[in-house]
Amino acid sequence: MKQILLTICACMLGGVLLGQDRATLSGYVKDASSGESMIGASILIPELKAGTYSNEYGYYSLSVPKGDYQIIYRFLGYRPDTLFLSLTESITQDVELILEGTQLEEIVIEAESAEERLASTEMGTEQLSIETIKKMPVLFGETDVLKSIQLLPGVKPAAEGNSGFFVRGGGADQNLILLDEAPVYNPSHLLGFFSVFNGDAIKSTKLYKGNMPASYGGRLSSALDVRMKDGNNKKFGVSGGIGLISSRLTLEGPIVEDKSSFIISGRRTYADAFLALSSDSSLNNTQLYFYDLNMKANYVLGEKDQIFLSGYFGRDAMGFGDDFGIDWGNATATLRWNHLFTNKLFLNSSLIYSDYDYEVSLNAAQAKITSGIKDFNWKEDFSWYANENNTLDFGLNLIYHTFVPGAVTAESAESFLNENLPERYALESAAYISHEVSFGNKLKIDYGLRASNFSVLGPGTVYEYSDEGVAIDSTVYEDGEIIQNYFGLEPRFSASLVLNETQSLKGSYSRNRQYVHLISSSTTSNPTDVWLPSSEIIKPEIADQFSLGYYKVFPQKGYEGSVEIYYKDLQNQIEYQDGANLLLDETVETQLAFGRGWSYGAEFMLKKTSGKLTGWISYTWSRTLREFEEINNGDPFPARQDRIHDISVVASYQLSPKWNFGASWVYATGDAASFPSGSYQIGEQVVPYYTERNGYRFPANHRLDLSATWYGKKPNTNLNFSVYNAYNQHNPFSIDFREVEGEPGNTEAVKTYLFSIIPSVTWNFAF
């Protein structure tokens, strides 16, 4: 540890010494029409073969030897801007880029050029523009960030039509999903068929599949960073869309022109309105809808300060007559302050609130089941741009967690149903530092260290269990006492070697630790799964990942390709024991099993990024295995997300300025599953007999989706037609087993399908 800190300090000192007799060029890159900050815009100085990118707030800083230079600002889909500046002293230069007049002729797949991707140390990182996502055919024509990233290599959907996803063999809870820095614990609506991200309110989305930056932590598999629009600070505007099952409306405009702005975007489905018209009493009394609201405002306090306030609130309601209902939702709020200490030192301070909860109503019993998780989060993130070859990022993070494992309440205070599991509390903290350094134009290295700590806090009771899982003793802790403490170091390293103008090699290693866990029940399904903290029994999950990649571009033809291989070792993985029932169990740890896992694979991707026909083909070969002493006789078994083959083909064709056509085709090996190997009879009851965990597989699934978009005379006004599952493939959502009618003792498999051909039409407008 001491050697690592000394090395980092030496590199920092080297950056200071190299900064003498230099000038710094800094400022913000923005959209000329809206004033929106541009994330990932490139700033290049050809004479020096040096450059940088704008950060998450559009800010950039570049220190170079004093002199006269040509400066090129560019962002794909926008007209490049070239300035000739005399950098005899440090200056501030804000730039506004103009959208290309021919933007409808080509699709924008990513925010950075292929050449820039060659030199970048980022591995397993994917970025999709909102323009690209909006042209993809999706279920019910609803733009969906999460379903779009499922078409990328190494990312697998949890189920057909579902917004949940797995990354490189990790579980669904091992993905850190952020909306303006606030964690979103359940990112789905309507049991996963829609995501919580309204495309009209989103500015950018970036997925880290492998070596995520040291500023991200708390999850093993990935970080999905979604940023909301800031709002147009030039003029007031109204936009939205009307579809078959949902509608959207967005208002944005300046509070003070060129100084502050706001955006409010709302969305609601109205499937329940159509069900109410049914003559079937089982349908017309059914509740089925969701709504969400995104809000954001910002204000420029001066040349060095800007504040942002953003929030999200979404809710789902599902009710089946007077018998049963589920209500769940997320709420987040983020207050951020950007401050420039100097033109080289940038600070982002954030106060963040996140709340997820659900409520299950058992109307017949006049009872409710509730559960949830709530966070208060404080972050300080610094970026020091020492010179054109050295950038240092460092900061700290503090999260106070409140876990609500579950409670049953009834209208009658004397009801035997009343039961409350005690809330659990924890304090998660981290400090990090990372250094990106370039050695000439060929070699670039990014290394860092994240130190994380997790303290389980009182009040609470800790039980001591016998080998049979029976509580034999307990210890009571007072409010604020530390019940259990975990500390760990998480090193990160990545390097990029540019072989020539069209090829590069990259390698990376990272360690991640996860302290909060989603406990899934064998007898219930989402949203009644429960988040729990690490404890004296539940150890932090740990993942070590190694990656190696080869990248190739064909600049004249507009193609680029990549191959990445990876190996991931997973410690302290969690599974439920056979026959476990985790709902409302205070001693839930006794029904869990702990073991190890590993995942490895190869990801291939070929993109076409320019011309009328654009898109990509991706193929992933992978294996994901688990090993638990208490499960499957201690033998390794495939994880549920172990899909050996995954193929995605995505295409967009701009026929004319008026018409764009899109298509996507997917194929995947079926999920691993535990099916009965036989059955036996006890009296008159047939009991299924299970042998190995996940020893069988669902059938392979595949699907074709199509879309056509007609553009009107006004910008961003269009009519979208889409067909989901165009050739009516029946992919099973679930497979159950039942006794064959008229044949006692014999069972049969029954497949349930959710989707046939689903056409949809959506009118999108803006004025």
Side-chain angles (χ1 to χ4, degrees), residues 68 80 108 126 305 342 371 383 395 442 485 509 636 705 741 757:
D68 298 331
V108 179
E126 303 288 350
D305 298 279
T342 70
S371 182
S383 293
K442 298 293 185 180
N485 193 78
Y509 162 74
D705 303 329
E741 188 175 352
I757 298 176

Side-chain angles (χ1 to χ4, degrees), residues 114 552-561 606-610:
K552 171 74 174 177
V553 299
F554 306 86
Q556 277 126 20
K557 296 182 179 179
Y559 287 94
E560 62 176 280
L606 178 65
K607 294 181 182 178
K608 188 174 186 298
T609 59
S610 62

